[in-house]
Each structure stands twice: as C-alpha cells, then as structure tokens.
Amino acid sequence: MSGGIFVKRYDDPERCSTAAAHHAWLTSLDAGVRLPRLLATDAQRLIFERLPGHTPTVADLPRVAATLGRLHAAAHERELHAARLHQPHTTTTGLVIPDFTDPRRAALHRAAAVAGTDAAAVDALLDRPGLPAAFYKDPNVRNYLVDGEDIAVVDFDDLTLAPFGYDLAGLLVTASMTYGRLDEPTLADCVDAYRAAVAPQQCRPVDLHQFAELHHLLTLRYVGLNGYRHPWPAVRPWPDPFPPR
C-alpha cells in the first residue's frame, strides 16, 4: 500500500486482465455495494483506491451477508436470470463467467478423498443445473472491509457461476475457521439478512449446510494458514451432512 492506493500485483498478465474484467462487471451491476475504484492498470498490476476499514468481526457478519445478497440479487436480475449453472455464461460486456461445476470438480474430488467424503455426494451437489444462478467471488471474510456502517467488497481474482447461498456458506465457513464456532443468533441473522436481500430467491438450510461442506473441502489445505485457526469439523454449527465413510 502507498498513500491513497492499493496495488495488486500478478505474475500472470492474463490473470491480471481477468481480475480487472471481473471488477468492471461487478461495478456495472449498480447494486448499491461499495467496491474500490480501479484507478489504473498495466500488464501485471491493478491499482485501486485504498479504502478505509477493517476485516469484519462476528458482529459485522449479518451486514456482510446482506451486502453479499444485494450483489447476488442485482446480478441475477440484470444478467444471470438467463444463466445455467452447468454452462459458462457470457455477459453483455463480453465477460465469460465459468460454470459452477467444471472449475471445482477435480479439486473437490481430491479433497474428498483426503477427508473421507463420498465423491458421489460431492457430484450430486455440483450437478444441479435447475437452480437459479448467482455467482461465486471468493467469499473469504477477509475480502470485505467494514468502515462504520459501510461494507466494501474487495479482491476480484475469481468469479464463477454459483447457486444462491453458496457464497453465504463460504462466508460462514471462513468466519468460523477464523473466529471459532458462530452462535445460533448470529447464524440466523446472517441467513435472514441474505434472504431478505435476494428475495424471492431461496437459500434453504439444507442447501446452506451442504454448500458449507464444499467450502470446507476446498479450504482443508489452508488450516493453520492465513488466519484459519479452527478446522471446520471442530466449529461446524450443525450436524455434518456428509458423515465420514
């Protein structure tokens, strides 16, 4: 960081340009959610305005969930109502958003083998083309900034299609792995805030619980790193929907 800017550096120029395209598309949604302005780019750098704020605490999570819901609702209403989860979607700006299934299937199968989770159960969650489409944008709790009542969204490296509730599950998993088991009132407030924002789309508890297990599998290798102090099985706030074989 330097003065009023934040510089994100990339080894891969294509990844740099893709992140810039993600930022532009999310900004175009006009969802009433704050994103940092992209001030300049070159082949391997994105230069953003530096936003004030801190990583959300547990008390901030319901407002973060509402922010996430507003982004999802705007994306679905403006563009993704025509998307199908099992197919890449090309936006009106020409951005190709990868499908939900292919980008994560191999990684989930590898992690499932390590965790003793049934790969067929993983596939059953991935292959659900009939669900309405929102998107995945790395919902790690560290990818939000809280400044008073303002919630900003940062980090634009990854973007795929995803069902409603998938990123909410990721937020809850990463927050639990960071801060410890979340209490029932906090969980209920997060779900209520998200559902109010995405209405009339649904985020059923069974889907939320199952999506959380996908995020668990994908974060297994980070336990003990990047602030993830608590393994998900030790802080999971509901019964495991995929008991070990």
Side-chain angles (χ1 to χ4, degrees):
M1 291 187 180
S2 174
I5 63 172
F6 175 80
V7 180
K8 182 72 180 285
R9 292 178 170 82
Y10 297 83
D11 294 331
D12 180 357
E14 183 177 355
R15 188 160 173 78
C16 181
S17 62
T18 297
H22 293 165
H23 176 273
W25 182 71
L26 290 167
T27 301
S28 76
L29 298 177
D30 195 23
V33 172
R34 187 170 185 189
L35 290 83
R37 289 180 296 126
L38 181 57
L39 303 175
T41 69
D42 60 30
Q44 293 181 285
R45 298 187 307 165
L46 300 182
I47 303 172
F48 294 98
E49 67 171 322
R50 180 180 179 181
L51 296 180
H54 59 82
T55 298
T57 66
V58 171
D60 297 317
L61 292 177
R63 287 188 296 131
V64 176
T67 298
L68 185 58
R70 288 197 294 275
L71 273 175
H72 286 175
H76 183 82
E77 180 179 355
R78 287 175 174 264
E79 294 238 16
L80 300 184
H81 56 275
R84 299 295 178 263
L85 291 176
H86 63 301
Q87 299 172 346
H89 178 77
T90 302
T91 72
T92 56
T93 62
L95 174 67
V96 178
I97 303 178
D99 63 284
F100 178 59
T101 56
D102 288 343
R104 45 184 57 86
R105 191 187 301 275
L108 282 167
H109 280 188
R110 289 193 297 269
V114 172
T117 300
D118 187 353
V122 170
D123 285 336
L125 286 184
L126 288 175
D127 298 322
R128 299 169 73 179
L131 293 179
F135 62 82
Y136 160 85
K137 189 218 73 66
D138 191 357
N140 186 327
V141 68
R142 294 160 190 79
N143 287 338
Y144 304 89
L145 288 173
V146 178
D147 181 32
E149 294 300 309
D150 186 41
I151 306 288
V153 178
V154 298
D155 195 308
F156 310 99
D157 291 353
D158 299 306
L159 190 72
T160 73
L161 298 177
F164 281 90
Y166 182 77
D167 271 14
L168 175 61
L171 172 67
L172 298 178
V173 168
T174 60
S176 299
M177 292 175 67
T178 301
Y179 301 122
R181 187 190 302 270
L182 302 178
D183 59 43
E184 290 188 10
T186 296
L187 290 168
D189 287 347
C190 287
V191 173
D192 289 348
Y194 180 82
R195 292 190 69 171
V198 303
Q201 306 301 327
Q202 294 296 309
C203 175
R204 301 182 305 164
V206 63
D207 292 329
L208 186 68
H209 298 180
Q210 292 173 342
F211 294 155
E213 298 313 306
L214 297 185
H215 283 285
H216 158 53
L217 292 174
L218 293 171
T219 54
L220 268 176
R221 58 189 174 132
Y222 299 115
V223 175
L225 303 172
N226 304 326
Y228 290 142
R229 298 178 295 151
H230 306 278
W232 174 246
V235 294
R236 183 189 284 112
W238 45 68
D240 184 357
F242 301 127
R245 293 193 298 265

